[in-house]
Each structure stands twice: as C-alpha cells, then as structure tokens.
Amino acid sequence: MDMIRINMTERTTTREPMPEQYAHFGGRALTSRIIADLVPPSCHALGPHNKIVVANGLLAGTTAPNSGRISVGTKSPLTGGIKESNVGANAGLYLARLGIRALVFEGMPRQPGLWLLVVDANGARIEDASQYRGLGTYDTAEKLLAAYGQKASCLIIGPAGEQKMAASAIMATDMDGRPSRAAGRGGTGAVLGSKGIKAIVVPQAKGELPQYHDPETFKSIAREFSQKLIKEKEMLRVFGTAGMVKAANMVQGMPTRNYSLGSFDRADAINGQALHDTIKKRGGNVSRPCHTGCVISCSNIYVDEAGEYITSSLEYETMVMVGPNLDIGDLDSLARIDRALDDVGLDSIETGAAMGVAMEAGLLPWGDTDAVLSALDEVSSGTVLGKLVGSGAAVMGKVLGVRRVPQVKGQSMVAYDPRTFKGMGCAYATSPMGADHTAAPAIPGRPGLDPSKKFELTEKENQVELTRDLQIMITVCDSLGYCFFVGPDIENMRRSALLLTALTGRRTSYEDILDLGVSTLNIEKAFNRAAGIGPDQDRLPEHFYDEPLPPHNRTFDITPEETADLCYDLK
Ligand code: SF4
C-alpha cells in the first residue's frame, strides 16, 4: 500500500510506497505513529509544523464486516495532545482499492486560499475550491457529488472548520451522499481548515480489492463474523443507539441540564422506541449503514411530518448532549439541531456541552431550541458568540466563569455521567484523547481481558483495570478500521489475529494484536507528555468528586491517584 504526501506550502502531491516502519499499520496505529514521529509535540496545532493524516484500517477493502472506518490523526487544537477520530465513510474502501493507505497533509498555504484534494485512479491533485468558501457541508456535498459523481465519498469541513474553530469536525458523506457522518472530536476540521483544504474527494473506485494470502480462510471467518453480528446486534438495527436513552435514564446516568441531574423528565419522548415509531410513521428509515460492508446498520434517516429529510443519523450521544443536557425534550428539535451542527461542521458532542455551560451561565436560555439554532447561525457568520460556541466547553467555561464544565484535557465528556458510569469516568480521565466515550465503552456485559474480574456499573471495584483493557482493545479496533459496535472483546481480538494472518500471510498472534493496541497507546501517551500533558491531567474536574448526582447522590469515587498515570501493559 502507498501513502500520498500533500504539501500545502508547495501545493504538490507525491505518491510513495509506505515507508517500511509503517508498512504493517493502519488506522489509528498508523496515524498516531506518523504524528508522533513527524510532528513536534510543542508545535501550534494550527501552524505549519502540524500534520493531519487520513488513513484507512488494515482490513479496509476486505469482506470483514464493519471494517470501513477511516481514521483522522493530528495534534488537536482542542486538547493540545494527539488526536485520532474515525468515521464510517466509503473513502476508506475506495482508497484501499486504489492501493492507498494514507494521505498526509503537511505545511500551510503561503497565501490564503481554499482547495480540494481529489484522489482517483489518475492520482491525487489539488484543485481550486474558492467557489465553496463559506458553504455549509450539505451544499458543498451536493455540488461535489454533482461534479465528481453521486457515489463519490467526500470528507468536508463547514464554516466552523474554515474559521479554524477548535470544536470543528470533518463531515463525511454517507451512503446517500449526505454529510451526516463525523470525524467529530478534537477539532480535526480546524486543522484541515488550517491547511486550506475544504474537502477531500474520492470518486467511486472500482480497482483491485486487496490480495488475500489465504482467501478461503479469510472469507470463511469474515462470513461467520458477519452472521454473528447480524444476529446479536438486532436491537441496534431496530432502535439505533437511541436504545441507550431508556437504560441511561433508568440508572440515573444521563447528563441533564449541564450534568446537574442524571435523569430527564421527558426521556420517554426521545427514547429508542419513540424515535423508531416516529421515523416509521413519517416514512423515514430506521436502519441504514454508514458505509459499504456494515452489516449492523445502526443509523437512521429522520424526516419531518411531511416526510421531508431533516437529518441522519440521530444518535444517542448527540441526542442527549443537545437534548436533556440543554433541557430540550422533543425529537424534532433534536433533529433540527443535529442538522445545523452537521451543516456548520461542528462536533455535536463538544458543542452540546458548550451550550450546556452557556445555559448554566445564563448566556442562553434553558430548553430554547430557537436560541440554540440562532447561536449556530452565528457560528457561520463568525460573530463573537459564534466563535465562542465553536471553541468548545472548556473555553466557554473559562470565558463565562462557570465551574461545572464537563471536560478532561480540554475535550468535553459525552452522554454518560461518570458518577454513574464509573468505568466510563476512568476512560474520560485517562484516555490520551481527552474525555471520550469511544476510548473504553465500559457498559454492562463488556468484560476486560480477564473475564474473572467482575465489575458493577456504579461501583469502583476493578474499573481502572477494565478501562485499561477496553482502551487496548478499542485501539486495536480503531487500527483495523472496525466500527466501535463490532465490540472490543477477547473473541474479537482472537478473530482479528486470524483475519490478519489470512490476509497478509504474516503470522499474527493474539498477543501481537493486543500489542498493537498497547504500543499505540504508549506512543500517544509519550506524545502528550512531550506536549506538556502529564499524569496530573489524568483526572476529572473536581466537582465530579465532590458534587453528588441526585437522586442517588453518587460521586465519582475513584481517586485521581487511582486513575493517574494508568499503565498500558498486558499484566
Ligand atoms: S453499525 Fe452504525 S456506526 Fe457502525 S458501521 Fe454500521 S452504521 Fe456505521
């Protein structure tokens, strides 16, 4: 596989074989290695010394189910540390068919300007994109698909990324050509904007699929895995991730009114059943894949009463962060806000958290959908309020003097209150990425590497070990290109070793697979240390330790000493 270097200072592209030291890596393992090797940790995230790497996973283009995620790695303008954020998009598959593993953007334009990177069978080229300046991602996607084919896969920034706002996302077009999928976390859109790139366009590629070393074995394992996922993930297919609303509300762990409560009085109006029934009644779609090869199809298409498209996909994390967290409790409002966030190109999680802080400070009224939409309009027009909203929760808290800011290392928490979801709290505290639910999704029924170690959702026992194990296994998934929902578990790690062996012919053991996760996490941690993010930042904001969450009055009782300096090893 090759990589393409895109030098935005010289405006040149160079295709070259993947250097030997990176040849056996993909996804997050690759992006984090390139960033750690080639980016000075102390550099400015929006300056010429930062790079942004887009890489598909090791299983990209194969028949392994749900293996089409594409990773975006960089130094984050939000956290100041290393970042990997991944998204389901056919760009991963198309690049694999073209024999390309990674795109590496470097330098900065000498003069202000806006460009596209187009990658197809003829190579990679930089094209003028000035006609797309200031456009939302929806308008941009429509024009790009008209120009490059309706099956093209596009990674786009919106006005937020063009203005280099720290909460800006890279939006990817979905199977229907809508920019509804996000490499959302950590301000990746701002870094792409700093390179002057409005969009990466990969027209449909029909080239060679990867050459399997042992095709029969690979296909047999992949087939069995697909059947297993289809059978076991039925609830995700029917209710999507919104199925989590009811459960999180029941256990008093759903962030409400800026994390001051753990349950929401109108949760029934926005739970998985309500979402499913509303979509069905109106003629939307309750089950869509976000990329070719997904066999679970947890995404949905939400339409209004007239059957007109509003957004895709309404998902648990966004629904809660812009719903109960802002005291908003109706599906149409959540859908309108989600659409506006995708269009302006902001991370819906980070921005939901920032708005919650703004509401606590009285800058915006609680429960006011129109005020939220109006603030998002101001992001597009670049007013001071808009820039504040686009800067994330930590900056919002500092500017407004709010103590209750749900963030770690500058990145906001997600829709799981750590005082109830104790393992998730450990992940927030210790992940090199800052607070991130995908770093170690510690929910019931998900054991670590030692299944004999039991844990309860709301109890502290064994949670630190569980977090470490899940972080290792999730990092493996992120490196293979797997969607989060295939599951970070031992069986999947063993299966992945067999798949990689059958694909490449290089014998890959279960231990090798786990070491892929361990070594990547340690590289990320070392980068952060060099960037000034040390163990003293492996902790939650103090109010989570001392402010009880009603009505059970839980606190986060796993001390900073217990989570600080978590070691990534296999002991
Ligand atoms: S399960 Fe959901 S997130 Fe995962 S690949 Fe399928 S549609 Fe995308």
Side-chain angles (χ1 to χ4, degrees):
M1 298 288 268
D2 291 348
M3 67 186 246
I4 297 177
R5 298 180 83 124
I6 304 102
N7 184 317
M8 290 308 296
T9 309
E10 306 300 330
R11 255 187 281 146
T12 56
T13 65
T14 312
R15 179 167 177 160
E16 56 193 54
M18 186 62 73
E20 180 56 29
Q21 71 266 34
Y22 302 134
H24 305 300
F25 298 106
R28 176 174 171 179
L30 179 61
T31 64
S32 287
R33 279 167 171 78
I34 294 176
I35 294 301
D37 288 348
L38 302 181
V39 173
S42 59
C43 76
H44 197 292
L46 302 179
H49 303 297
N50 197 6
K51 299 182 194 297
I52 183 163
V53 184
V54 177
N56 52 25
L58 284 174
L59 295 174
T62 71
T63 57
N66 292 52
S67 61
R69 306 286 293 189
I70 193 156
S71 290
V72 180
T74 191
K75 170 170 169 154
S76 163
L78 195 72
T79 69
I82 201 162
K83 171 57 58 185
E84 186 268 354
S85 184
N86 59 65
V87 60
N90 274 350
L93 168 67
Y94 296 167
L95 288 173
R97 286 177 176 171
L98 295 169
I100 296 164
R101 174 71 77 219
L103 310 172
V104 182
F105 294 86
E106 42 201 8
M108 269 180 87
R110 288 200 176 91
Q111 304 293 335
L114 206 54
W115 293 273
L116 305 176
L117 178 77
V118 181
V119 187
D120 60 19
N122 298 319
R125 58 190 183 276
I126 298 168
E127 297 184 359
D128 179 59
S130 49
Q131 69 269 37
Y132 306 113
R133 182 177 294 284
L135 286 187
T137 64
Y138 271 78
D139 279 350
T140 306
E142 193 178 330
K143 290 176 192 301
L144 290 175
L145 296 188
Y148 296 93
Q150 293 299 320
K151 298 276 186 196
S153 180
C154 306
L155 305 174
I156 304 168
I157 63 168
E162 286 185 49
Q163 295 176 68
K164 301 186 270 294
M165 294 182 183
S168 55
I170 297 175
M171 303 304 303
T173 49
D174 59 22
M175 297 282 282
D176 304 300
R178 294 173 177 130
S180 67
R181 316 299 307 186
R185 310 242 55 205
T188 56
V191 183
L192 203 59
S194 76
K195 305 296 181 202
I197 294 290
K198 176 71 177 177
I200 301 165
V201 182
V202 191
Q204 185 179 27
K206 295 183 174 166
E208 292 294 306
L209 287 167
Q211 298 296 313
Y212 299 96
H213 172 76
D214 180 351
E216 289 314 312
T217 300
F218 189 99
K219 286 175 187 168
S220 156
I221 298 169
R223 195 178 315 118
E224 171 267 334
F225 190 20
S226 296
Q227 287 163 355
K228 182 174 185 294
L229 290 174
I230 289 168
K231 192 169 155 205
E232 292 180 357
K233 305 289 179 175
E234 173 74 14
M235 297 303 276
L236 266 176
R237 187 160 41 256
V238 176
F239 298 114
T241 56
M244 192 70 199
V245 169
K246 189 172 180 181
N249 201 52
M250 270 173 55
V251 296
Q252 312 281 334
M254 193 161 73
T256 301
R257 288 178 72 102
N258 191 30
Y259 285 73
S260 62
L261 297 168
S263 59
F264 184 55
D265 56 3
R266 282 153 285 155
D268 286 351
I270 59 166
N271 67 21
Q273 189 71 57
L275 180 64
H276 172 274
D277 294 350
T278 303
I279 291 174
K280 278 275 186 193
K281 191 172 108 197
R282 293 176 174 181
N285 193 328
V286 295
S287 181
R288 286 290 288 154
C290 67
H291 66 77
T292 302
C294 164
V295 299
I296 300 173
S297 297
C298 79
S299 298
N300 55 61
I301 297 176
Y302 191 89
V303 298
D304 65 16
E305 284 184 343
E308 292 295 316
Y309 175 88
I310 300 182
T311 197
S312 54
S313 165
L314 262 187
E315 299 193 359
Y316 172 75
E317 284 76 19
T318 301
M319 292 171 73
V320 172
M321 295 307 287
V322 304
N325 190 50
L326 306 184
D327 207 7
I328 294 174
D330 69 279
L331 289 171
D332 284 347
S333 289
L334 305 193
R336 287 163 62 211
I337 294 170
D338 181 61
R339 166 67 178 267
L341 285 161
D342 289 352
D343 195 43
V344 78
L346 280 178
D347 175 13
S348 56
I349 295 169
E350 188 70 45
T351 311
M355 297 265 195
V357 173
M359 288 181 180
E360 177 157 331
L363 184 67
L364 296 171
W366 287 111
D368 191 332
T369 301
D370 290 339
V372 171
L373 291 171
S374 169
L376 292 176
D377 278 347
E378 296 204 34
V379 174
S380 285
S381 44
T383 66
V384 172
L385 173 63
K387 287 184 185 296
L388 188 54
V389 166
S391 297
V395 168
M396 183 71 83
K398 271 189 190 160
V399 171
L400 300 180
V402 174
R403 173 175 175 259
R404 189 190 290 119
V405 181
Q407 60 80 32
V408 178
K409 301 184 180 82
Q411 180 167 280
S412 79
M413 292 180 186
V414 197
Y416 307 86
D417 194 300
R419 289 164 289 192
T420 294
F421 290 90
K422 293 278 165 69
M424 205 72 88
C426 292
Y428 292 163
T430 58
S431 167
M433 302 295 153
D436 181 357
H437 68 296
T438 66
I443 58 174
R446 196 167 269 163
L449 291 168
D450 179 356
S452 72
K453 288 212 164 178
K454 303 293 178 202
F455 71 97
E456 294 290 331
L457 185 73
T458 59
E459 303 296 329
K460 67 185 286 184
E461 189 184 7
N462 291 331
Q463 297 282 10
V464 176
E465 292 87 344
L466 175 70
T467 283
R468 180 204 60 187
D469 292 354
L470 289 176
Q471 287 190 51
I472 291 168
M473 291 191 279
I474 277 288
T475 304
V476 172
C477 291
D478 292 343
S479 304
L480 299 182
Y482 275 140
C483 154
F484 178 79
F485 294 119
V486 304
D489 57 46
I490 292 174
E491 185 187 351
N492 202 8
M493 296 299 106
R494 293 195 190 287
R495 183 183 289 110
S496 298
L498 297 173
L499 283 171
L500 275 186
T501 301
L503 174 64
T504 66
R506 286 176 78 233
R507 190 181 174 281
T508 306
S509 67
Y510 169 71
E511 288 74 21
D512 294 334
I513 279 286
L514 292 182
D515 188 60
L516 180 68
V518 170
S519 58
T520 301
L521 283 159
N522 281 323
I523 285 168
E524 292 168 350
K525 196 159 88 166
F527 182 95
N528 280 359
R529 288 277 175 86
I533 303 170
D536 57 328
Q537 294 184 46
D538 283 350
R539 60 180 59 202
L540 305 187
E542 64 180 18
H543 66 277
F544 287 101
Y545 298 96
D546 58 28
E547 185 179 285
L549 180 68
H552 293 303
N553 294 328
R554 298 184 190 108
T555 57
F556 188 68
D557 55 358
I558 303 171
T559 66
E561 290 70 33
E562 288 170 299
T563 53
D565 206 16
L566 180 92
C567 289
Y568 296 111
D569 56 30
L570 294 175
K571 288 182 192 138

